[in-house]
Amino acid sequence: MGEKEAAAQEIQTADDAQIEKEIDPAADEPTETQRLTAELAAANDKYMRLYAEFDNYKRRIAKERVELMQTAGKEIIANLLPAIDDFDRALKAFETATELAPLQEGVSLVGQKLKTILTNQGLKEMESIGKPFDAELQEAITNVPAASDDLKGKVIDEIEKGYFLHGKVLRHAKVVVGS
């Protein structure tokens, strides 16, 4: 009979729980504090995951930026190699040459090839001589008396050429200005 009594006790306990649930349906539901604690834990978990994801993103971007900076000049260097090879051949030709005219022509062609490669990469020479002095584009090395009044404030000579790279000043021209 011990087993029957134990089974009857379990049934009675289950019935009591059911009756208590019918009387107070919120008995199995969490309290407001428990619910808020669970929401806070979920929000903290979400925050930590987002923070970790963002931190990984920052590291990846920094790594990609370093790699980009290291390989940024790869294309232009690869394009310059044939011009360097031509220049080396010209230097060897100087050692055994008897006539200068063909050598001058060869060096001129190497120079043109080099300028063409750089122009294709976005480099453009700055035109300065005869134009009004512009401090944004040029650096005045010295002033000299102008031969005529129309040359005052204009660039008379260019000591060092200025260059643009993709429309932005890469190097300012060093010029002589008439005064």
Side-chain angles (χ1 to χ4, degrees):
M1 288 225 162
E3 288 180 26
K4 285 184 182 181
E5 287 177 4
Q9 183 66 26
E10 282 183 35
I11 292 172
Q12 184 62 38
T13 305
D15 288 343
D16 289 345
Q18 181 67 28
I19 292 169
E20 190 175 312
K21 198 175 205 183
E22 290 173 3
I23 294 170
D24 185 14
D28 283 344
E29 292 181 14
T31 64
E32 183 71 16
T33 304
Q34 291 171 336
R35 187 183 61 77
L36 291 174
T37 303
E39 284 180 18
L40 179 62
N44 279 339
D45 183 56
K46 184 178 179 182
Y47 168 75
M48 292 303 289
R49 290 177 190 275
L50 280 172
Y51 184 79
E53 189 175 323
F54 181 68
D55 196 41
N56 290 338
Y57 169 77
K58 285 192 323 187
R59 282 191 201 124
R60 186 178 73 245
I61 293 299
K63 182 181 174 186
E64 287 174 2
R65 187 175 293 145
V66 168
E67 288 174 2
L68 179 65
M69 291 170 86
Q70 289 174 343
T71 60
K74 181 180 177 182
E75 181 182 340
I76 191 165
I77 290 171
N79 289 336
L80 287 173
L81 291 177
I84 291 171
D85 293 339
D86 290 346
F87 188 70
D88 288 341
R89 284 191 282 274
L91 288 175
K92 282 186 183 178
F94 270 110
E95 295 171 2
T96 59
T98 56
E99 293 185 40
L100 288 180
L103 289 176
Q104 287 175 335
E105 184 180 336
V107 171
S108 176
L109 288 174
V110 171
Q112 288 300 323
K113 188 175 195 177
L114 183 61
K115 284 182 180 182
T116 301
I117 291 169
L118 293 173
T119 300
N120 291 339
Q121 294 296 319
L123 188 72
K124 182 181 175 196
E125 287 184 5
M126 201 180 282
E127 298 294 326
S128 298
I129 296 178
K131 296 191 175 185
F133 175 73
D134 183 357
E136 299 276 328
L137 303 175
Q138 299 146 347
E139 181 181 338
I141 300 298
T142 187
N143 289 336
V144 295
S148 63
D149 285 341
D150 63 325
L151 291 177
K152 287 186 178 182
K154 291 189 177 180
V155 175
I156 295 176
D157 193 15
E158 191 173 51
I159 306 299
E160 206 172 73
K161 279 193 174 289
Y163 292 93
F164 295 106
L165 183 61
H166 300 292
K168 294 182 180 178
V169 176
L170 178 65
R171 182 174 81 181
H172 293 84
K174 293 184 180 177
V175 297
V176 176
V177 181
S179 60

